[in-house]
């Protein structure tokens, strides 16, 4: 019989060695010997569940070991001491820590240990407790008990199931037997019916049959209910409820994740940065911390409460009632408005703080926290931006699976409507805030600053580079200067257009902007725009022939300084048309407001915008229109939803001249109406202005003269109801018959002296073949003498004291402001015998007293006639402005729709045939007609077809002979030509995602194909080299080309090259990439971050926002935005109203695209380079590329 236990001594020694080196607890302990009251000091080492002890710390072989699994360790009291021995020794022993290790089986003596310090003893106790696996054993015991219990339950269920199965089988047998007995009894009963009349009613067999029948009915009932339950489980309602519950569970998980993100943001960034801001050398100030994080801590507390409520509701599953939680949450979600409104500003502050090295180092340390999972602070700051839309989407899905009779459907619908309203308010506020930030960004770019940009009513319209042509006092070109001046270098100006001002800046060598000392800030209230500068005696051909009709003139007439002229030169006719249209629209807005102010002056001293805002009827929601709280450039609430009729009405409404609305309407009208309907509305407005204006608009114009207006309009013979008499009242030939003679002729009011309220055109004042005098517009010659005296008196009262001889001529009354004076066509001078008072001057004289009280002899009917006349002039001006804007900025509509073009030509020709048309209106009409009639305009832009035609060049260059600069410039030229050729109507309706995309959006498809072809060319050129060094050199050269494209702001080209280098066929070439220099790899990483799709192309958008055109953006970024808008919001509401907020978002993206389309590069076309870039013979398909890559560098064996 074996008396000892064998064990592997070598393995035990190895474990002892590990315990000495890596033991969880090591140190000296006193061990009680077998003899009583004797303690030996040993060196103990604990490794996993084995406790070794050695004679000393340097001993290599253990003196013994204990297996601790299943043991328990607890503190033991100090043993009693005898009185022998010194007192100090007894005290020292009493202070020692005693503990005992008890083993879980009999026959094993406990191990008694002691140590010097109590802390050390506690650590040993805890370490031995962990090594004993007591918790694991306890948990195992519990699990085993549960397992045994479950096994017993399963066995019991199996036995019960078998018993039930046997019972069912017995019952089936019994049922069959009973059925047979019933049949036999029925047959016997039928035979013995005459003999059973006296038999007892309750036969025992009958009772047995009834019992069986009752059992059968119960069994059938249970089976039926089982079928009903199974059918319900498979029913759509049950499926909907399961989906509803799944949505709730997903929402709880998303809310938990969101609370965790907020917790990381607050505890991982906000609070540590607050502490850092309070340090002796703070890397960031408390104000910057507050600006970056805003109210994120409050948001975290709010959602922690909401999350706790959701978890409590989940505990009561399957009864999921959530509406009351949203009722509590909704009033507090307004805190998101401040966060969303200042989100961009917080990111800007963070970017500025990152310039501090100490802060950047500290921030990277916080971002390295494992809780951040590699995410940056900007990512966490962005999460709250999407929470409100996430709630809306969740409620939308929840309502889709909530029955209409559900107890909380109404509450959920109310919560969804409130969240959507809050989301719209936040969106509108963000739009307004973005406009303010755009102005502030431009103001910071200007070294001297610009106070007018601090006005919140200033709305940014456009920016771009124009060339300022030097001029002298009278606006003539300085030919001596032109000969030596390099216009492109010295005359280039960076121009910014706002609703009220026009800024002209120069750019220094360091990239800073400086306002011109003279004419740097032009108030549009004092400007007159001239499209075609006049020809002079010295230059009979005019400046148009010198500059190719690319120049235009702005005449500035400040009230307290001498007038001056600014001549600007646009790069192309398209850009000139765009600048002309925008500037003229801004000027028209200001002047039309001036016209309405003349009408309102006798009613109230409040200005027009305040009157419009104070009249609730003008922006009150109705069944066919709904407004948002955001104000447009006219400070009138923007339209959110409206019917097509109300949108067409707003297009011609004289009170709402908004460039934003006009651009949005003309960009997106194809979605909800047709071009023919728009043109019909404009034609009706011109032909019947008073009947076309809705009654709600006329009420504003005739607020104080309802009676006289009613009589006047009822009178069918009124001459002002007909377009034939649309000209101003002619000057009378006698004192007795002239109502003008009795009026105070004063044009010195601040409005009329500063605002060109009556100048109804911004067109050229040069000669025109159609701008001729007619009897209807020119009074007889002797009328001049009749009006000269009062005109001079008015000039003496309100005009300048000294005027030149030309201004004292009858054609230029000194009482008429400069911006109202009409230059006679055909080069007429003041010496002309038949020169008469111009129609503009006559109109000014006829309406000069509109802001003053009615003098004796001037009744309400005459004043009402003047108001009607102003409406006619303003209506005509409005129609012409819309047509000019349409023709100049949306010429593609007429190029693609010849019927529309012919209808507009017919309308304009009809306008020109009107004998009573004012010369200003006639000139504007002629300009529009001339612009529309030019079939083949002089287009200096290069087209892709022209480049393809040059492919027959003598010899194409190869990649090695072309420089990186040449390649980058020609890639940029090609990308811009392709990008510029996309008409904006292709961006509507997601046509590029439809099966017939080649027919609906051919230019977008061609752009995508060009992108792929260029990317394939880059990859193919690299793979054409057999040796590693050549491939590495090719990669370095293409990276250099991409970097030059970035400098040229061709981000599409950067993405073409970077995507080619990221292809699997190129990316897997490890030997090739090993030869590429570190500088090139770092540069490539920088370029890839610039065009990365992370955060919806966050870095690319930031670069495009800060750069000046020309630039080539990545088209896919905008297509993604448009697809998101199209899929996220419908075109029409449930009531059939146009979702104009969606139209505004689409228009905003299209305007940004067209901003980059209109600005052209000044790069010369090099056929030898483009021939190489467009050579499809060099391109290798994707499959062949990968096969070639495998051939060059085969896969390594696994």
């Amino acid at each position: 019989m074996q008396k000892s236990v064998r064990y592997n001594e070598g393995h035990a020694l190895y474990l002892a060695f590990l315990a000495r080196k890596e033991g969880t607890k090591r140190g000296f302990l006193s061990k009680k010997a077998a003899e009583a009251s004797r303690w030996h000091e040993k060196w103990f080492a604990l490794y996993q569940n084995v406790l070794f002890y050695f004679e000393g710390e340097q001993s290599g072989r253990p003196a013994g070991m204990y297996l601790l699994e299943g043991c328990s360790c607890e503190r033991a009291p100090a043993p009693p001491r005898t009185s022998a021995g010194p007192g100090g020794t007894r005290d020292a022993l009493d202070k020692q820590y005693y503990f005992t290790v008890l083993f879980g089986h009999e026959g094993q003596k406990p191990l008694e240990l002691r140590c010097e310090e109590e802390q050390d003893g506690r650590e040993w106790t805890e370490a031995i407790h962990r090594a004993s696996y007591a918790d694991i054993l306890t948990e195992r015991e519990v699990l085993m008990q549960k397992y045994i219990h479950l096994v017993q339950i399963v066995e019991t269920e199996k036995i019960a199931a078998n018993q039930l199965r046997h019972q069912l089988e017995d019952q089936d047998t019994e049922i069959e037997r009973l059925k047979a007995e019933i049949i036999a009894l029925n047959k016997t009963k039928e035979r013995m019916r005459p003999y059973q009349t006296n038999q007892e009613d309750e036969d025992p067999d009958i009772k047995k049959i009834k019992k069986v029948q009752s059992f059968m009915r119960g069994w059938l009932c249970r089976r039926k209910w089982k079928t009903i339950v199974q059918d319900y489980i498979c029913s759509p309602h049950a499926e909907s409820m399961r989906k509803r519950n799944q949505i709730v569970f997903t929402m709880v998980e998303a809310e938990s994740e969101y609370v965790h993100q907020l917790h990381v943001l607050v505890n991982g960034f906000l609070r540590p940065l607050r502490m850092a801001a309070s340090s002796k050398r703070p890397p960031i100030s408390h104000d910057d911390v507050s600006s970056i994080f805003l109210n994120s801590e409050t948001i975290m507390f709010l959602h922690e409460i909401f999350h706790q409520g959701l978890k409590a509701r989940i505990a009561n599953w399957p009864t999921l009632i959530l509406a009351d939680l949203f009722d509590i949450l909704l009033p507090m979600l307004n805190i998101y408005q401040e966060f969303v409104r200042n989100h961009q500003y917080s990111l800007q502050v963070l970017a500025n703080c990152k310039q501090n090295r100490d802060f950047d180092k500290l921030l990277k340390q916080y971002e390295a926290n494992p809780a951040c999972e590699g995410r940056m602070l900007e990512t966490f700051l962005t999460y709250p931006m999407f929470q409100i839309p996430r709630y809306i989407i969740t409620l939308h899905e929840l309502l889709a699976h909530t029955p209409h009779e559900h107890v909380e459907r109404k509450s959920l619908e109310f919560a969804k409507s409130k969240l959507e309203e809050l989301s719209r308010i936040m969106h509108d506020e963000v739009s307004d805030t973005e406009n303010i930030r755009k102005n502030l960004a431009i103001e910071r770019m200007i070294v001297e600053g610009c106070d007018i940009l601090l006005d919140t009513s200033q709305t940014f319209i456009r920016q771009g580079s124009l060339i300022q042509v030097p001029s002298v006092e009278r606006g003539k070109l300085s030919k001596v200067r032109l000969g030596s001046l390099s216009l492109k270098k010295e005359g280039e100006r960076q121009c910014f257009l706002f609703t009220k001002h026009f800024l002209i800046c120069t750019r220094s060598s360091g990239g800073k902007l400086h306002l011109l000392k003279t004419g740097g800030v032009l108030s549009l209230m004092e400007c007159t725009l001239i499209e075609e500068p006049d020809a002079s005696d010295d230059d009979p051909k005019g400046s148009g022939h010198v500059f190719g009709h690319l120049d235009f003139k702005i005449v500035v007439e400040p009230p307290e300084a001498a007038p001056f002229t600014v001549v600007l030169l646009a790069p192309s006719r398209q850009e000139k048309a765009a600048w002309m249209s925008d500037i003229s629209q801004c000027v028209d807005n200001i002047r039309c407001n001036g016209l309405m102010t003349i009408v309102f002056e006798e009613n109230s001293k409040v200005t027009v915008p305040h009157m419009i805002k104070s009249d609730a009827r003008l922006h009150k929601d109705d069944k066919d229109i709904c407004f948002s709280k955001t104000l447009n450039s006219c400070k009138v609430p923007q339209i959110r939803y409206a019917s097509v009729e109300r949108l067409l009405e707003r297009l011609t409404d004289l009170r709402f001249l908004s460039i934003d609305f006009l651009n949005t309407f003309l960009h997106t009208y194809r979605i909800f109406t047709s071009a023919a309907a728009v043109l019909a509305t404009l034609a009706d407005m011109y032909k019947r202005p008073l009947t076309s204006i809705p009654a709600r608009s006329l009420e504003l114009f005739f607020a104080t003269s309802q009676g006289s207006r009613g009589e006047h309009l009822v009178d069918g013979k009124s001459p002002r109801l007909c377009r034939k008499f649309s000209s101003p009242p002619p000057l009378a030939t006698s004192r007795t018959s002239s109502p003008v003679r009795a009026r105070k002729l004063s044009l010195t009011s601040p409005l009329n002296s500063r605002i060109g309220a009556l100048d109804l055109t911004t067109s050229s004042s040069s000669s025109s073949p159609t701008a001729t005098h007619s009897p209807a517009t020119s009074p007889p010659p002797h009328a001049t003498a009749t009006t000269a005296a009062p005109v001079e008196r008015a000039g003496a009262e309100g005009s300048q004291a000294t005027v030149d001889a030309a201004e004292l001529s009858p054609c230029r009354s000194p009482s008429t402001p400069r911006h109202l004076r009409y230059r006679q066509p055909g080069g007429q001078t003041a010496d002309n015998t038949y020169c008469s008072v111009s129609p503009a001057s006559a109109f000014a004289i006829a309406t000069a007293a509109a802001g003053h009280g009615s003098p004796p002899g001037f009744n309400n009917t005459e004043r009402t006639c003047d108001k009607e006349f102003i409406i006619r002039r303003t209506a005509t001006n409005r129609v012409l402005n819309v047509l000019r804007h349409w023709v100049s900025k949306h010429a593609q509509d007429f190029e693609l729709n010849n019927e529309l073009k012919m209808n507009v030509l017919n309308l304009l020709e009809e306008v020109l045939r009107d004998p009573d048309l004012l010369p200003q209106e006639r000139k504007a009409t002629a300009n529009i007609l001339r612009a529309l009639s030019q079939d083949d305009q002089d287009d200096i832009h290069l087209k892709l077809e022209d480049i393809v035609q040059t492919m027959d060049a003598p010899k194409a260059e190869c990649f090695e002979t072309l420089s990186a600069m040449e390649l980058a410039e020609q890639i940029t030229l090609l990308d811009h030509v392709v990008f510029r050729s996309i008409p904006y109507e292709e961006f509507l309706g997601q046509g590029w995602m439809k099966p017939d995309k080649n027919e609906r959006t051919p230019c977008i498809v061609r752009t995508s194909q060009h992108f792929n072809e260029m990317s394939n060319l880059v990859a193919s050129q690299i793979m054409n080299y057999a040796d590693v060094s050549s491939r590495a050199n090719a990669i370095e050269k293409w990276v250099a080309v991409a970097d030059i494209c970035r400098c040229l702001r061709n981000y599409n080209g950067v993405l073409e090259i970077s995507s080619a280098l990221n292809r699997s066929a190129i990316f897997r070439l490890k030997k090739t990439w090993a030869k590429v220099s570190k500088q090139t790899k770092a540069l490539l990483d920088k370029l890839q971050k610039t065009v990365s799709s992370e955060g919806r192309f966050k870095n690319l958008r930031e670069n495009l926002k800060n750069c000046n055109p020309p630039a080539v953006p990545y088209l896919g970024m905008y297509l993604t935005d448009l697809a998101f808008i199209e899929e996220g919001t419908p075109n029409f509401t449930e009531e059939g109203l146009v979702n104009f907020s969606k139209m505004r978002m689409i228009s905003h993206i299209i305007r940004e695209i067209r901003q980059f389309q209109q600005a052209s590069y000044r790069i010369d076309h090099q056929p030898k380079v483009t021939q190489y870039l467009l050579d499809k013979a060099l391109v290798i398909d994707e499959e062949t590329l990968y096969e070639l890559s495998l051939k060059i560098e085969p896969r390594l064996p696994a």
Side-chain angles (χ1 to χ4, degrees), residues 517-782:
K517 295 181 178 179
T518 303
V521 180
L522 305 181
S523 174
L524 297 179
M525 300 168 65
E526 304 164 356
C527 295
T528 301
L529 183 64
I530 300 177
E531 182 177 359
E532 301 290 344
D534 298 336
S536 62
D537 296 337
D538 299 333
D539 186 12
K541 293 184 178 181
S543 62
H545 293 278
V546 178
F547 298 113
H549 298 282
L550 298 178
D551 56 328
F552 59 93
K553 182 187 297 184
I554 300 176
V555 180
V556 186
E557 298 176 301
E560 300 178 356
F564 61 92
T565 302
V566 177
V567 181
L568 297 172
L569 184 65
S572 64
R573 284 200 169 190
Q574 285 75 13
E575 288 196 39
K576 174 186 174 181
W579 277 103
M580 292 287 300
S581 177
D582 287 338
I583 296 175
S584 61
Q585 191 68 37
C586 293
V587 174
D588 290 340
N589 286 352
I590 298 174
R591 294 179 178 176
C592 190
N593 287 340
L595 282 174
M596 291 190 291
T597 304
I598 295 175
V599 179
F600 298 141
E601 276 184 347
E602 61 189 34
N603 304 332
S604 172
K605 295 300 181 182
V606 184
T607 58
V608 176
H610 287 86
M611 289 188 67
I612 291 176
K613 287 192 289 184
S614 62
D615 191 348
R617 296 174 299 174
L618 302 182
H619 48 82
K620 182 179 180 182
D621 292 349
D622 203 350
K623 62 181 181 180
D624 57 351
I625 193 168
C626 178
F627 295 92
S628 67
K629 294 185 179 180
T630 304
L631 305 182
N632 60 15
S633 58
C634 296
K635 292 303 174 183
V636 175
Q638 290 182 345
I639 299 175
R640 180 174 296 161
Y641 309 116
S643 63
V644 178
E645 293 75 15
R646 289 300 290 268
L647 291 176
L648 292 172
E649 173 188 318
R650 186 57 61 93
L651 181 67
T652 54
D653 198 325
L654 307 182
R655 302 163 300 172
F656 303 97
L657 297 178
S658 169
I659 296 177
D660 304 332
F661 173 81
L662 188 58
N663 281 327
T664 301
F665 185 92
L666 292 178
H667 277 139
T668 60
Y669 71 87
R670 294 172 183 79
I671 298 176
F672 50 85
T673 187
S674 62
V678 177
L679 183 59
T681 303
L682 295 175
D684 193 57
M685 185 69 182
Y686 167 74
K687 297 175 183 178
R688 293 176 293 275
L690 293 180
T691 58
S692 298
I693 298 177
R696 51 181 167 266
S697 302
L698 288 175
E699 289 175 3
L700 186 62
F701 284 97
F702 302 105
T704 60
S705 54
Q706 292 291 339
S708 61
R709 184 182 71 87
E711 295 176 2
H712 197 73
L713 293 179
V714 169
D715 184 8
K717 298 180 180 180
S718 173
R720 303 192 184 274
L721 290 177
C722 180
R723 169 59 65 176
K724 180 180 179 182
F725 297 95
S726 61
S727 60
L731 298 180
T733 57
S734 65
R735 298 179 179 225
T736 57
S737 61
S738 175
V740 180
R741 182 68 180 85
R743 305 175 72 174
K744 182 179 179 181
L745 302 180
S746 174
L747 296 178
T748 59
S749 64
L751 172 74
N752 291 332
S753 62
R754 292 182 60 84
I755 304 177
L758 306 179
D759 186 11
L760 300 179
T761 180
T762 56
S763 305
S764 169
S765 57
S766 63
S767 60
S768 171
T770 59
T772 58
H773 284 290
S774 64
T777 58
S778 300
H782 58 267

Side-chain angles (χ1 to χ4, degrees), residues 250-451:
T250 305
M251 183 180 72
V252 174
E253 293 176 0
E255 189 69 20
S256 177
E257 176 66 19
Y258 180 56
V259 171
H260 174 69
Q261 293 165 355
L262 293 175
H263 181 79
V264 175
L265 174 64
V266 173
N267 295 325
F269 293 99
L270 172 57
R271 291 171 181 170
L273 286 177
R274 279 180 180 170
M275 296 177 62
S278 302
S279 61
K280 291 184 178 179
R281 298 180 61 186
I284 186 174
S285 65
H286 283 286
D287 291 339
D288 288 342
V289 173
S290 301
S291 300
I292 292 173
F293 294 94
L294 303 171
N295 54 355
S296 54
E297 194 168 14
T298 308
I299 294 175
M300 184 191 72
F301 293 148
L302 171 62
H303 285 277
E304 282 180 345
I305 297 171
F306 183 63
H307 183 231
Q308 293 297 329
L310 284 176
K311 290 198 296 185
R313 298 304 164 86
I314 291 296
N316 296 328
W317 186 85
T319 304
L320 294 176
I321 304 297
L322 305 174
D324 56 340
L325 284 178
F326 279 101
D327 291 340
I328 299 173
L329 180 67
L330 283 175
M332 303 183 219
L333 288 181
N334 290 328
I335 61 176
Y336 275 94
Q337 288 183 253
E338 179 185 354
F339 189 93
V340 174
R341 187 187 308 120
N342 298 294
H343 177 65
Q344 287 294 333
Y345 177 69
S346 68
L347 295 181
Q348 291 177 4
V349 174
L350 178 59
N352 294 334
C353 292
K354 281 187 174 182
Q355 303 300 321
N356 185 350
R357 293 184 179 179
D358 296 336
F359 174 81
D360 189 51
K361 181 179 179 181
L362 184 64
L363 184 61
K364 289 181 179 178
Q365 179 181 345
Y366 294 156
E367 291 173 347
N369 191 334
C372 296
E373 298 177 354
R375 292 170 290 184
M376 302 173 63
L377 175 57
E378 291 87 343
T379 305
F380 288 97
L381 290 173
T382 307
Y383 287 138
M385 297 287 292
F386 305 103
Q387 192 61 18
I388 300 296
R390 186 181 292 117
Y391 281 148
I392 295 174
I393 294 173
T394 301
L395 287 177
H396 181 77
E397 295 176 349
L398 202 60
L399 286 169
H401 299 289
T402 301
H404 290 277
E405 64 277 3
H406 198 276
V407 65
E408 61 174 359
R409 181 172 181 86
K410 291 185 178 180
S411 300
L412 292 177
E413 288 178 344
F414 175 77
K416 178 173 173 286
S417 63
K418 287 296 182 183
L419 285 173
E420 288 176 344
E421 181 180 358
L422 177 62
S423 178
R424 287 192 293 266
I425 293 174
M426 290 164 57
H427 176 268
D428 294 340
E429 288 182 350
V430 168
S431 300
D432 198 15
T433 305
E434 285 182 354
N435 177 62
I436 296 174
R437 288 187 180 133
K438 177 68 175 178
N439 293 357
L440 291 177
I442 296 175
E443 197 271 341
R444 285 194 294 269
M445 291 167 58
I446 300 174
V447 176
E448 300 84 0
C450 189
D451 294 339

Side-chain angles (χ1 to χ4, degrees), residues 25-31 39-44 75-76 78 81 88-99 112-125:
K25 184 65 179 175
R26 292 168 291 177
F28 284 98
L29 293 175
S30 296
K31 174 178 174 294
W39 295 83
H40 300 285
E41 188 177 35
K42 306 290 183 179
W43 194 82
F44 284 80
R75 183 173 181 176
R81 298 293 176 186
T89 304
R90 289 198 304 269
D91 294 339
L93 292 175
D94 291 339
K95 292 181 181 179
Q96 290 184 346
Y97 188 88
Y98 294 84
F99 57 97
E112 297 183 20
L113 302 171
R114 74 180 182 189
C115 60
E116 298 294 336
E117 297 180 358
E118 182 178 357
Q119 179 64 27
D120 193 20
R122 289 180 179 175
E123 292 178 358
W124 272 105
T125 303

Side-chain angles (χ1 to χ4, degrees), residues 1110-1129:
V1112 184
Y1114 174 54
L1115 182 63
M1117 176 181 68
Y1118 295 115
L1119 297 182
T1120 303
D1121 294 343
L1122 290 171
F1124 180 78
I1125 294 173
E1126 291 283 359
E1127 294 176 358
T1129 52

Side-chain angles (χ1 to χ4, degrees), residues 82-272:
T82 61
S83 59
T89 304
R90 289 198 304 269
D91 294 339
L93 292 175
D94 291 339
K95 292 181 181 179
Q96 290 184 346
Y97 188 88
Y98 294 84
F99 57 97
T100 305
V101 180
L102 301 175
F103 298 94
H105 54 87
E106 298 180 358
Q108 177 69 38
K109 294 182 180 179
L111 175 63
E112 297 183 20
L113 302 171
R114 74 180 182 189
C115 60
E116 298 294 336
E117 297 180 358
E118 182 178 357
Q119 179 64 27
D120 193 20
R122 289 180 179 175
E123 292 178 358
W124 272 105
T125 303
E126 293 177 0
I128 293 173
H129 179 73
R130 288 194 299 270
S132 66
Y133 303 149
D135 296 337
I136 298 176
L137 292 174
T138 304
E139 187 176 356
R140 177 179 177 277
E141 186 67 25
V142 173
L143 292 176
M144 283 300 298
Q145 292 177 0
K146 291 183 179 180
Y147 173 74
I148 294 171
H149 179 65
L150 291 175
V151 169
Q152 292 175 353
I153 292 175
V154 171
E155 293 297 330
T156 305
E157 291 296 330
K158 287 182 178 179
I159 295 172
N162 289 331
Q163 291 176 353
L164 290 175
R165 191 179 301 109
H166 291 310
Q167 289 179 6
L168 288 175
E169 292 175 356
D170 295 342
Q171 288 172 357
D172 290 339
T173 305
E174 183 68 17
I175 289 171
E176 294 296 332
R177 187 182 65 80
L178 291 174
K179 284 182 179 179
E181 290 182 4
I182 290 171
I183 294 173
L185 287 173
N186 287 335
K187 292 180 179 179
T188 305
K189 186 178 180 180
E190 290 177 359
R191 290 195 303 267
M192 301 177 61
R193 189 178 299 274
Y195 306 100
Q196 292 181 351
T197 54
N198 298 327
Q199 196 175 11
E200 294 181 357
D201 296 333
E202 296 294 333
D203 188 87
D205 293 336
I206 298 299
K207 290 181 179 180
K208 189 180 293 186
I209 292 172
K210 288 183 177 180
K211 185 177 180 180
V212 173
Q213 288 178 343
S214 176
F215 173 79
M216 287 294 298
R217 282 194 297 269
W219 181 77
L220 291 174
C221 184
R222 288 193 298 272
R223 184 175 180 181
K224 183 177 182 180
W225 272 110
K226 182 179 179 181
T227 305
I228 292 173
V229 171
Q230 290 178 348
D231 291 343
Y232 174 75
I233 292 174
C234 301
S235 67
H237 182 271
E239 181 68 21
S240 179
M241 288 295 99
R242 283 194 294 272
K243 289 182 179 179
R244 185 178 189 273
N245 293 339
Q246 185 61 37
I247 291 170
V248 175
F249 297 150
T250 305
M251 183 180 72
V252 174
E253 293 176 0
E255 189 69 20
S256 177
E257 176 66 19
Y258 180 56
V259 171
H260 174 69
Q261 293 165 355
L262 293 175
H263 181 79
V264 175
L265 174 64
V266 173
N267 295 325
F269 293 99
L270 172 57
R271 291 171 181 170

